[in-house]
């Protein structure tokens, strides 16, 4: 993973030597005046305004090449970028503003790529509604998320001149130094965690298996002093984890249940995160069509999200205990693969008729959820999974689907998603849906037909959570091909990571009862 330095300074922006100096300007409420700005760039801004080229409207950009030898103005940056923020008034919504700033950061990252800038300096704008910390955090997130690229496997065609991304991001402001430092730090922690998840997801099925999941978790445990546990196949057999074992039957790579535990010094409530870690989903015997099957290397994005969130938890050290579990295996069709019609028994004793081996996510999650709840007794549990194609039909690529057994917990997640620009939409789960997965020969079956496919998948999971407040996030539509945003390059989005960090950092004991 790339290590971009993020620093802050109180020096005057115009004195800084940098490849690109960025000013974020708001449209002036008086239509006939140019945007307010620093004295050092006033001339440029006024000329551009008078020519009708720049008013500070949202998403306007203007690149300027100052004469560094000029005696009139004394700028030291090789390039200056003016970006518009539009009109910001007291009616603006906080979460919309935050995402505008992330987008702005993403756009700046694109200009950096175009100009091959290695150092970028941003003069932190004053956004009263957000305050300096949040403003800086969102800008930093946008820049780092927008500057993401995955080039690990591009070896022979790589040129020395290829742009490898930003080396340093610097925030300047002559006020609120502490808040700006904190915002820059939080922005980096949030974005780096999401980029970590993107890195894992970009790895192909032969580059990221259950073994790599375990190794990654182990390395986090070492850095942050988490408790690391990896349940191997033998242990799974002893424990009766029939779901993950069945999915793994057709594979030559052993399954692993990877667990990380963070415990804060003070006694606290526990949140359990469970992420689907199917490192490749061929569908098994109910094999998927060939077209687009390569995308099923992304079927581990849920697992990537929970382990990457743990990286941020290690950095931030919140006051809440967090346990992350990733049931990991690929779903293959080898000669001992599970067959349609087979009946399996999950960790909690629930038996299931496997009607379709391509509905494998719920099978591994069933074991992980019931094992996690029994072992760690969490106050709330959330699972995250690229679970159903149906969620793409229902919500497209713009919202993650949510299904929950607890009103308040669902609300908290929706709000965390809103805060972080990862919108979530709730779907209902009533007994009628649960009836769709009743089996004639076992307790339940792993498919409920096409109608309400996202909800019947969640109905399956509801058999493994008892009365524990639980929410399920279906990210099949958002884990990749996510909504077009400047800070989301094509490929995996890292969705869920920042939602989880936000949820956990805002957690207070007794918040959901
Ligand atoms: N991993 C897939 C879901 C998926 C599909 C994610 C497309 C992203 C894009 C999951 O394991 C799956 O195959 N689900 C089936 C369930 C069905 C057989 C009940 C589906 O959605 O078709
Ligand atoms: Mn599948
Ligand atoms: Zn799958």
């Amino acid at each position: 993973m790339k290590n971009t330095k993020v620093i802050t300074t109180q020096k005057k922006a115009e004195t800084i030597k940098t490849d690109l100096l960025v000013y974020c300007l708001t449209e002036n409420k008086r239509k006939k005046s140019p945007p307010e700005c620093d004295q050092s760039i006033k001339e440029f801004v006024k000329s551009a305004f008078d020519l009708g080229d720049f008013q500070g409207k949202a998403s306007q950009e203007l690149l300027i090449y100052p004469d560094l030898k000029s005696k009139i103005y004394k700028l030291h940056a090789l390039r200056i970028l003016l970006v518009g923020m539009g009109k910001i008034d007291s009616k603006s919504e906080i979460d919309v503003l935050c995402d505008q700033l992330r987008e702005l950061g993403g756009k700046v990252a694109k200009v950096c790529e175009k100009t091959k800038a290695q150092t970028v300096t941003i003069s932190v704008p004053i956004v009263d509604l957000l305050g300096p910390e949040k403003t800086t955090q969102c800008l930093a997130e946008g820049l780092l998320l927008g500057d993401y690229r995955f080039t690990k496997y591009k070896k022979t065609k790589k040129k020395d001149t290829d742009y490898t991304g930003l080396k340093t991001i610097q925030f300047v402001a002559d006020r609120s130094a502490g808040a700006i430092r904190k915002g820059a730090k939080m922005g980096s922690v949030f974005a780096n965690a999401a980029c970590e998840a993107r890195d894992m997801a970009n790895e192909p099925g032969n580059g990221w298996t259950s073994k790599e999941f375990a190794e990654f978790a182990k390395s986090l445990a070492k850095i942050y002093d988490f408790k690391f546990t990896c349940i191997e196949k033998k242990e799974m057999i002893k424990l009766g984890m029939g779901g993950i074992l069945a999915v793994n039957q057709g594979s030559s790579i052993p399954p692993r249940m990877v667990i990380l535990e963070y415990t804060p010094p003070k006694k606290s409530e526990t949140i359990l995160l469970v992420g689907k870690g199917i490192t490749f989903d061929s569908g098994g015997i109910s094999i998927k069509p060939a077209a687009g099957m390569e995308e099923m290397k992304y079927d581990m994005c849920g697992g990537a999200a929970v382990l990457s969130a743990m990286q941020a938890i290690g950095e931030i050290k919140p006051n809440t205990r967090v346990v992350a579990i990733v049931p990991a295996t690929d779903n293959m069709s080898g000669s001992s693969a599970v067959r349609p019609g087979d009946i399996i028994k999950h960790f909690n004793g629930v038996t299931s008729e496997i009607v379709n081996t391509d509905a494998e996510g719920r099978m591994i999650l069933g074991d992980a959820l019931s094992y996690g709840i029994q072992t760690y007794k969490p106050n709330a549990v959330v699972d995250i999974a690229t679970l159903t194609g149906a969620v793409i039909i229902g919500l497209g690529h713009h919202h993650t689907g949510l299904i929950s057994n607890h009103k308040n917990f669902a609300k908290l997640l929706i709000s965390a998603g809103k805060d972080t620009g990862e919108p979530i939409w709730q779907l209902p789960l009533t007994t009628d849906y649960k009836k769709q997965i009743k089996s004639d020969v076992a307790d339940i079956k792993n498919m409920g037909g096409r109608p309400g496919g996202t909800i019947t998948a969640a109905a399956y999971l509801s058999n493994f959570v008892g009365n524990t407040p639980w929410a399920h996030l279906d990210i099949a539509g958002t884990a990749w091909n996510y909504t077009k945003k400047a800070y989301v390059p094509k490929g995996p989005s890292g969705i869920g990571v920042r939602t989880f960090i936000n949820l956990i950092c805002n957690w207070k004991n007794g918040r959901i009862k």
Side-chain angles (χ1 to χ4, degrees):
M1 162 139 194
K2 190 165 67 78
N3 230 334
T4 308
K5 259 203 286 177
V6 181
I7 54 179
T8 59
T9 175
Q10 298 200 70
K11 281 187 209 152
K12 291 220 169 308
E14 63 271 21
T15 65
I16 294 172
K17 286 199 175 103
T18 177
D19 293 338
L20 185 72
L21 173 59
V22 183
Y23 290 95
C24 314
L25 306 180
T26 36
E27 211 174 339
N28 205 314
K29 288 198 182 84
R30 283 177 294 138
K31 268 245 163 331
K32 293 204 178 82
S33 313
E36 306 266 344
C37 66
D38 274 16
Q39 190 62 37
S40 55
I41 54 164
K42 248 195 174 119
E43 299 285 323
F44 299 122
V45 174
K46 186 171 182 312
S47 311
F49 181 82
D50 289 345
L51 285 168
D53 291 359
F54 187 86
Q55 298 81 29
K57 289 200 167 87
S59 85
Q60 263 185 336
E61 285 175 20
L62 194 70
L63 193 57
I64 297 163
Y65 294 83
D67 174 3
L68 297 181
K69 290 190 203 89
S70 165
K71 299 246 158 57
I72 310 159
Y73 51 82
K74 293 203 171 51
L75 286 154
H76 291 79
L78 298 183
R79 307 168 187 87
I80 292 186
L81 179 69
L82 308 181
V83 281
M85 297 203 295
K87 287 189 189 119
I88 297 179
D89 55 39
S90 52
K91 284 191 293 278
S92 306
E93 282 187 58
I94 303 272
D95 56 292
V96 177
L97 267 179
C98 283
D99 219 43
Q100 274 173 6
L101 287 171
R102 286 185 206 102
E103 283 268 9
L104 197 149
K107 279 179 199 144
V108 172
K110 284 190 170 157
V111 175
C112 290
E113 175 165 45
K114 230 185 285 168
T115 59
K116 298 197 171 160
Q118 300 203 336
T119 60
V120 64
T121 304
I122 299 107
S123 169
V124 181
I126 296 174
V127 184
D128 288 332
L129 275 176
L130 297 183
E133 182 183 328
K134 205 90 230 219
T135 302
T136 312
Q137 176 177 343
C138 292
L139 285 170
E141 274 180 32
L143 264 153
L144 288 165
L145 290 168
D147 186 44
Y148 177 82
R149 48 187 61 70
F150 185 76
T151 54
K152 180 176 161 188
Y153 292 100
K154 287 185 182 286
K155 286 281 191 275
T156 53
K157 286 191 177 148
K158 214 168 182 174
K159 294 192 222 84
D160 289 344
T161 52
D162 280 356
Y163 182 62
T164 53
L166 283 164
K167 295 221 158 63
T168 309
I169 298 170
Q170 180 167 236
F171 291 99
V172 291
D174 55 9
R175 55 186 202 285
S176 322
I180 285 169
R181 211 176 310 123
K182 178 128 190 268
K185 165 82 185 159
M186 287 303 257
S188 321
V189 170
F190 273 62
N192 287 339
C195 289
E196 195 64 62
R198 290 175 180 178
D199 273 350
M200 292 180 210
N202 269 315
E203 286 285 353
N206 64 347
W208 196 268
T209 66
S210 67
K211 181 163 163 260
E212 281 72 25
F213 260 128
E215 283 170 358
F216 178 79
K218 199 171 177 182
S219 73
L220 282 191
K222 200 161 173 207
I223 301 170
Y224 299 114
D225 208 16
F226 296 148
K227 181 164 182 226
F228 164 77
T229 314
C230 179
I231 303 177
E232 312 268 352
K233 185 171 169 179
K234 258 197 190 151
E235 182 81 21
M236 288 179 187
I237 296 170
K238 266 196 225 153
L239 288 166
M241 294 182 163
I244 186 167
L245 285 166
V247 173
N248 180 256
Q249 269 173 225
S251 171
S252 56
I253 305 167
R256 289 176 174 87
M257 184 86 72
V258 177
I259 307 174
L260 278 180
E261 203 181 327
Y262 161 75
T263 309
K266 264 204 235 148
K267 197 171 158 36
S268 77
E269 294 189 348
T270 301
I271 300 177
L272 172 63
L273 309 173
V274 177
K276 172 177 173 181
I278 293 289
T279 56
F280 183 75
D281 181 11
S282 73
I285 297 297
S286 316
I287 197 161
K288 287 183 181 295
M293 204 205 272
E294 72 282 1
E295 291 195 333
M296 282 300 127
K297 69 174 180 180
Y298 297 141
D299 213 18
M300 36 57 75
C301 283
V306 311
L307 290 190
S308 303
M310 288 308 279
Q311 175 182 303
I313 298 308
E315 290 286 333
I316 298 169
K317 303 195 191 321
N319 295 317
T320 303
R321 180 165 174 254
V322 188
V323 180
I325 304 187
V326 180
T329 174
D330 48 3
N331 182 22
M332 303 298 281
S333 55
S335 58
S336 31
V338 66
R339 292 158 289 254
D342 281 3
I343 296 174
I344 61 144
K345 192 187 214 172
H346 278 290
F347 172 76
N348 68 345
V350 170
T351 60
S352 173
E353 179 190 4
I354 307 312
V355 174
N356 190 318
T357 66
D358 197 11
E360 84 297 340
R362 61 200 78 181
M363 296 165 65
I364 65 169
L365 289 171
D367 286 344
L369 284 166
S370 51
Y371 175 81
I373 289 170
Q374 190 190 94
T375 311
Y376 299 100
K377 303 183 176 50
N379 300 81
V381 51
V382 41
D383 75 78
I384 179 163
T386 47
L387 205 61
T388 65
V391 80
I392 309 175
I393 307 301
L395 299 175
H397 295 289
H398 313 303
H399 280 84
T400 290
L402 176 146
I403 288 137
S404 175
N405 64 359
H406 194 285
K407 258 198 187 134
N408 262 332
F409 187 43
K411 246 193 187 164
L412 288 177
L413 264 164
I414 291 168
S415 144
K418 205 170 169 190
D419 277 0
T420 50
E422 301 187 333
I424 293 170
W425 201 265
Q426 187 169 8
L427 302 168
L429 175 57
T430 51
T431 44
D432 294 320
Y433 296 101
K434 295 182 184 174
K435 283 183 199 153
Q436 278 179 244
I437 54 161
K438 280 204 170 139
S439 164
D440 294 335
V441 288
D443 297 334
I444 51 177
K445 57 183 176 184
N446 80 333
M447 199 178 107
R450 267 169 67 81
T454 301
I455 304 176
T456 53
Y460 190 94
L461 299 180
S462 73
N463 287 282
F464 304 92
V465 298
N467 292 324
T468 306
W470 157 72
H472 156 66
L473 296 173
D474 194 331
I475 55 168
T478 49
W480 69 100
N481 287 336
Y482 182 44
T483 309
K484 208 170 154 48
K485 295 190 192 213
Y487 65 89
V488 186
K490 69 171 192 255
S493 60
I495 201 98
V497 176
R498 290 178 303 111
T499 300
F500 286 156
I501 308 171
N502 178 291
L503 176 84
I504 289 158
C505 290
N506 290 326
W507 196 264
K508 299 215 170 47
N509 290 346
R511 228 181 137 179
I512 59 160
K513 274 269 149 62

